Amino acid sequence: LSGTLQYHGIDADNSSLTQFDTLVQAAINAPASYSDLSDYNIVFFGDSVFGNYQDFASIPGVIGALTKASVHNRAIGGSSATQLTHDDKSFPSAVQRFLSEDTAEISGEKKLCFVINYGLNDYFTGYTVEQYRDGLQAGVQSLQDAYPDAEILIASSNFITAFDNGTAFNNDLDEILNDYVTGAEETAAAMNVFFLNTNEALQWNPQNAACYLVDAVHPNEEGRFLFGTAIIKALEEDIFSYPVH
């Protein structure tokens, strides 16, 4: 494991083990309750924030474990929403590969939801917000055409400490990371799908981000858990109309 709860052995400082024990006892004394989504398939598209982790401690893993939804992680590290060629790692290309494959695992009686998270690599690479929005729109449109009854949630990128907390200019238009968050929100509205402003939900900032990031970009275990529960809350509030816990 990474982050503040990492434990190195009996010769190390016991504070992390004590912190973990306190966390466990708090969970036992006041257990959280999450909606039962066992009747849903949730498919995730995104970059390394989703794609670098495939186990129970991934963001899709957290959501599946807490809600009993069947989760399918199609995120790819290093990918962006911006599409340059039809066979790149971009969101529209990933959707086309997904649609061309045997999707029997999600074509049963369960309902379907897509969760989409891009923006960091679009910003890092210097793609414009317009290119980013075009990619998001193309991918979402393909999913809507193929699965008109599916629900779709676009989650914005998370706060980072790299590139001067996301305020550095990486393209000629002087666009910063928050411009891509706005672009995601505008695209969600234009496509009539749901939107989660991850920054507003998590409230990570220059003062506390180190507690939730394993590096300057990627969430650690605690950060991924909080990201996952923020998505669950958004699903409960916006899509499933379940009570929020």
Side-chain angles (χ1 to χ4, degrees), residues 9-197:
I10 59 175
D11 295 329
D13 183 359
N14 285 334
S15 62
S16 59
L17 192 60
T18 301
Q19 183 183 1
F20 180 71
D21 182 65
T22 301
L23 178 66
V24 170
Q25 292 304 316
I28 292 173
N29 294 333
S33 177
Y34 299 94
S35 299
D36 183 353
L37 305 182
S38 57
D39 57 339
Y40 268 87
N41 280 300
I42 305 180
V43 181
F44 296 83
F45 289 97
D47 53 31
S48 56
V49 171
F50 283 3
N52 275 8
Y53 313 95
Q54 298 289 331
D55 60 5
F56 69 94
S58 67
I59 293 171
V62 166
I63 294 169
L66 296 180
T67 68
K68 302 179 182 178
S70 297
V71 297
H72 310 271
N73 190 352
R74 305 297 297 236
I76 304 171
S79 61
S80 61
T82 300
Q83 184 178 38
L84 299 181
T85 65
H86 74 280
D87 59 350
D88 59 16
K89 296 193 296 184
S90 70
F91 174 44
S93 299
V95 169
Q96 292 306 315
R97 285 191 294 272
F98 169 75
L99 296 177
S100 68
E101 296 172 3
D102 181 4
T103 56
E105 63 189 42
I106 66 164
S107 61
E109 296 181 354
K110 290 187 177 183
K111 292 171 280 189
L112 181 60
C113 176
F114 295 100
V115 177
I116 300 159
N117 173 243
Y118 291 96
L120 291 178
N121 290 310
D122 298 88
Y123 167 65
F124 297 157
T125 307
Y127 299 139
T128 67
V129 173
E130 182 178 5
Q131 290 175 305
Y132 168 63
R133 290 189 56 178
D134 287 346
L136 280 181
Q137 183 168 336
V140 168
Q141 186 65 64
S142 294
L143 292 175
Q144 289 177 326
D145 291 343
Y147 300 100
D149 295 327
E151 302 289 358
I152 298 177
L153 172 71
I154 296 177
S156 77
S157 54
N158 56 273
F159 180 86
I160 63 173
T161 56
F163 292 99
D164 297 328
N165 301 324
T167 64
F169 301 139
N170 290 337
N171 64 30
D172 294 337
L173 300 181
D174 292 347
E175 293 170 325
I176 63 174
L177 183 57
N178 194 57
D179 295 323
Y180 297 79
V181 174
T182 301
E185 183 173 15
E186 292 172 347
T187 302
M191 301 300 292
N192 196 29
V193 300
F194 297 100
F195 175 72
L196 170 65
N197 188 319

